[in-house]
């Protein structure tokens, strides 16, 4: 499900791996990505982009959320740990409490690679 093909045929294994690594790096450095822009950049349909992201999340390669406006928001391991720490420190918290804290704990700006 994480393989892309070009009009000339299937990519060789190394090219597929490089494209996947480029896809992952793109998500990690951009932080917030429109799914349709991501699809256009990697010549994928939206459902292929979503499948690839979900597959990478299931494999534990990336963490993040797809919002209701068609964006993927990448969350680094450190940011995930800071959200967990917030919840552990505050005990019972509402979704709105976590959302408010997430604005402080998760950086949404692109990262220099």
């Amino acid at each position: 499900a994480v393989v892309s093909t070009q009009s000339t045929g299937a990519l060789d294994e190394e090219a597929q791996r490089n494209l996947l690594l480029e896809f992952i790096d793109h998500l990690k450095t951009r932080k917030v990505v429109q799914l349709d822009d991501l699809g256009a950049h990697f010549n994928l349909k939206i459902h292929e982009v979503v499948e690839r992201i979900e597959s990478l999340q299931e494999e534990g390669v990336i963490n993040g959320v797809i919002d209701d406006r068609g964006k993927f928001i990448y969350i680094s391991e450190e940011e995930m740990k800071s959200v967990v720490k917030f919840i552990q420190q505050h005990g019972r918290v509402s979704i709105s409490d976590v959302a408010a804290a997430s604005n402080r704990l998760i950086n949404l700006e692109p990262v220099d690679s």
Side-chain angles (χ1 to χ4, degrees):
V2 293
V3 176
S4 177
T5 58
Q6 294 179 331
S7 58
T8 58
L11 295 172
D12 67 29
E13 198 171 314
E14 185 175 348
Q16 290 175 13
R17 190 170 33 257
N18 289 340
L19 196 58
L20 180 60
L21 292 174
E22 184 184 333
F23 185 87
I24 293 166
D25 187 58
H26 189 85
L27 295 175
K28 289 181 175 183
T29 57
R30 298 283 157 85
K31 294 290 288 177
V32 180
V33 186
Q34 285 286 143
L35 297 178
D36 52 355
D37 292 346
L38 193 59
H41 185 79
F42 287 96
N43 198 25
L44 298 168
K45 294 182 172 89
I46 297 291
H47 75 89
E48 293 172 318
V49 169
V50 172
E51 287 173 4
R52 181 172 292 188
I53 288 171
E54 288 174 347
S55 173
L56 290 168
Q57 287 183 299
E58 288 170 12
E59 295 169 17
V61 177
I62 60 170
N63 295 305
V65 293
I66 296 175
D67 75 3
D68 58 352
R69 291 182 232 146
K71 292 180 188 168
F72 176 75
I73 303 167
Y74 171 74
I75 303 172
S76 73
E77 194 69 35
E78 295 78 29
E79 291 166 335
M80 192 72 81
K81 286 177 183 174
S82 66
V83 172
V84 169
K85 185 178 177 182
F86 169 82
I87 294 169
Q88 289 172 336
Q89 287 175 337
H90 292 84
R92 283 185 106 161
V93 292
S94 68
I95 297 284
S96 59
D97 291 339
V98 174
S102 294
N103 289 332
R104 290 190 322 272
L105 302 171
I106 299 172
N107 177 21
L108 300 180
E109 297 301 315
V111 178
D112 295 330
S113 50

